[in-house]
């Protein structure tokens, strides 16, 4: 396994736009020639748009963009700008009367991090597409990760900053990349070393507490802080159908289990897209295992 840049995977471009003062933003993945996309939703409160397009029982039409943004459900407006950009460039599903861009989106809740009255909108979505023309992958407090936070069992007072993470590798001719916005209720761990990277702080804010242990100590019904959700996408040049990509997305979820504790609670909207943009023959079991490994490393990159 060799680390590469996301830009080495043909058929995908990435762009970001953000409002640093309001602490919110948009990350867009553009597939000009379309992608075969599946999804895995394990959280109890997702904010999403057009995810039924990824279902194995719906029409096998190519997806032209995946949008990862802040703003909770308000942020779904960012896709309007992405659709306008794609339409201007003649990209979309040809219905005979117009080319309709097919755009999937998931949002994190970041309204408690910066300004709740400023959310990603069509203009920010369009700006992220303009940024994608430069196709520069960057991790940290950027794009959809601008307002991300983690370790929020007791609210923002003991939480830490999250962010956007990107990682890509090759195994022979097969290439796999992951892009993730880490905005979890739980704590974050290094997939390789098992060390805690971020999460719930102690009461004196001088070290890490353990969210799982706090859960066990509480041991009663608790109204959880709802400002969560980790959203991401894995992209491969492997040749897989939409159904197979759905399975790869579900296998990639193992990264969340290995790196975020607890995860998939009713206070999270955890979602993973999986997109195929190539024709390289590969085993689905290997690809799904690799997807989880790469996504786990992308989670770490959000804190580097």
């Amino acid at each position: 396994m060799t680390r590469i840049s996301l830009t080495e995977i043909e058929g995908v471009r990435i762009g970001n736009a953000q409002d640093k003062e309001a602490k919110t933003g948009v990350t867009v993945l553009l597939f000009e020639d379309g992608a075969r996309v599946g999804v895995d939703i394990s959280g109890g409160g997702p904010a999403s748009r057009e995810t039924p397009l990824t279902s194995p029982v719906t029409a096998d039409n190519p997806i032209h963009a995946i949008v990862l943004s802040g703003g909770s459900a308000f942020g779904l407006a960012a896709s309007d700008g992405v659709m306008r950009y794609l339409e201007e460039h003649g990209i979309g599903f040809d219905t005979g009367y117009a080319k309709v861009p097919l755009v999937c989106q998931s949002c994190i809740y970041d309204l408690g991090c910066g300004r709740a009255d400023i959310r990603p909108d069509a203009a920010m979505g369009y700006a992220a597409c303009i940024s994608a023309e430069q196709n520069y992958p960057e991790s940290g407090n950027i794009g959809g990760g601008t307002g991300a936070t983690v370790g929020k069992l007791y609210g923002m007072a003991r939480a830490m900053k999250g962010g956007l993470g990107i990682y890509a590798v090759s195994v022979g001719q097969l290439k796999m990349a992951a892009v993730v916005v880490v905005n979890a209720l739980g704590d974050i761990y290094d997939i390789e070393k098992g060390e805690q990277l971020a999460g719930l702080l102690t009461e004196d804010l001088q070290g890490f507490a353990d969210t799982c242990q706090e859960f066990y100590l509480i041991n009663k019904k608790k109204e959880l802080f709802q400002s969560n959700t980790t959203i991401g996408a894995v992209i491969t040049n492997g040749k897989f159908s939409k159904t197979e990509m759905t399975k790869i997305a579900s296998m990639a979820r193992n990264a969340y289990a290995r790196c975020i504790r607890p995860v998939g609670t009713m206070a999270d909207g955890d979602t993973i897209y999986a997109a195929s943009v190539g024709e390289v023959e590969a085993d689905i079991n290997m690809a799904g295992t690799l997807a989880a490994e790469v996504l786990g490393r992308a989670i770490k990159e959000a804190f580097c």
Side-chain angles (χ1 to χ4, degrees), residues 1 23 34 42 51 63 122-123 162 164 191 196 219 237 251 260:
M1 184 170 66
K23 293 183 172 59
S42 55
T51 50
I63 302 302
L164 178 73
I191 192 172
Q196 189 169 352
N219 195 27
N237 67 344
M251 292 181 70
I260 306 171

Side-chain angles (χ1 to χ4, degrees), residues 44-45 72 108-110 152-153 155 183 185 222-229 265-269:
S72 189
I108 66 167
Y109 187 105
D110 58 3
K152 291 170 283 188
L153 181 63
N183 185 65
L185 173 74
K222 175 179 174 57
E223 189 66 31
L224 296 177
F225 194 68
Q226 299 293 318
S227 306
N228 312 298
T229 295
T265 71
M266 293 302 291
D268 293 292

Side-chain angles (χ1 to χ4, degrees), residues 114-161:
R115 290 185 55 176
D117 60 339
I118 296 180
R119 287 90 59 161
D121 55 12
M124 191 178 286
Y126 189 90
C129 293
I130 296 296
S131 168
E133 294 175 0
Q134 303 301 316
N135 199 26
Y136 181 71
E138 180 180 357
S139 297
N141 292 317
I142 190 171
T146 303
T149 48
V150 299
K152 291 170 283 188
L153 181 63
Y154 295 120
M156 297 298 289
R158 292 170 61 181
M160 290 182 65
K161 190 72 186 66

Side-chain angles (χ1 to χ4, degrees), residues 25 27 40-41 45-48 66-71 105-109 144-145 148 163-165 178-184 228-234 256 260 268-273 295 299:
T27 296
D40 179 85
I41 300 175
S48 57
I66 294 173
V67 181
L68 308 174
S69 84
Q105 180 176 357
S106 289
C107 305
I108 66 167
Y109 187 105
L164 178 73
V179 178
V180 63
V181 176
V182 188
N183 185 65
N228 312 298
T229 295
T230 297
I231 53 178
V234 293
Y256 285 6
I260 306 171
D268 293 292
D270 300 327
T271 300
I272 302 170
Y273 295 94
L295 182 57
I299 290 172

Side-chain angles (χ1 to χ4, degrees), residues 32 35 42 55 60 100 117 125 194 227 232 249 301:
E32 292 186 3
S42 55
S55 170
D60 194 20
V100 181
D117 60 339
S227 306
E301 286 296 307

Side-chain angles (χ1 to χ4, degrees), residues 15-264:
N16 296 291
Q18 56 279 319
D19 185 321
K20 291 289 189 179
E21 181 179 349
K23 293 183 172 59
T24 194
V26 175
T27 296
V28 63
L29 297 165
L30 297 180
F31 311 107
E32 292 186 3
D33 297 324
R36 300 175 292 277
V37 177
V39 73
D40 179 85
I41 300 175
S42 55
S48 57
R49 176 188 187 278
E50 293 277 48
T51 50
L53 292 175
T54 66
S55 170
V57 300
T58 59
D60 194 20
N61 296 324
I63 302 302
H64 302 105
I66 294 173
V67 181
L68 308 174
S69 84
S72 189
F74 292 110
L76 294 171
S79 282
D80 293 338
V82 176
M83 288 191 70
R84 179 164 67 89
Y85 176 90
L86 292 170
E87 182 182 30
E88 289 175 355
H89 289 76
I91 300 169
F93 177 71
D94 194 347
T95 66
Y97 294 94
K99 287 187 176 181
V100 181
L102 302 182
V103 179
C104 296
Q105 180 176 357
S106 289
C107 305
I108 66 167
Y109 187 105
D110 58 3
L111 304 183
C113 183
R115 290 185 55 176
D117 60 339
I118 296 180
R119 287 90 59 161
D121 55 12
M124 191 178 286
Y126 189 90
C129 293
I130 296 296
S131 168
E133 294 175 0
Q134 303 301 316
N135 199 26
Y136 181 71
E138 180 180 357
S139 297
N141 292 317
I142 190 171
T146 303
T149 48
V150 299
K152 291 170 283 188
L153 181 63
Y154 295 120
M156 297 298 289
R158 292 170 61 181
M160 290 182 65
K161 190 72 186 66
L164 178 73
I166 300 173
Y167 203 90
V169 303
S170 64
V171 178
Q173 291 186 308
L174 182 71
K175 298 176 183 178
M176 183 79 68
V179 178
V180 63
V181 176
V182 188
N183 185 65
L185 173 74
D187 306 322
I188 310 303
Y189 292 82
D190 186 321
I191 192 172
E192 298 171 273
K193 299 179 181 179
E195 299 173 351
Q196 189 169 352
L197 299 173
L200 179 67
L201 295 172
T202 54
E203 291 188 54
D204 63 6
L205 308 182
Q206 297 305 303
F208 292 131
D210 186 318
T211 297
C212 288
Q213 291 302 316
E214 293 293 320
F215 260 144
Y216 304 151
L217 289 172
I218 294 169
N219 195 27
K220 63 180 180 180
K221 186 173 181 180
K222 175 179 174 57
E223 189 66 31
L224 296 177
F225 194 68
Q226 299 293 318
S227 306
N228 312 298
T229 295
T230 297
I231 53 178
V234 293
I235 308 99
T236 181
N237 67 344
K239 183 180 180 180
F240 297 106
S241 67
K242 182 167 65 169
T243 300
E244 290 171 323
M245 292 312 299
T246 300
K247 177 58 178 175
I248 288 172
S250 72
M251 292 181 70
R253 192 206 305 178
N254 289 319
Y256 285 6
R258 293 161 70 184
C259 299
I260 306 171
R261 307 174 199 165
V263 71

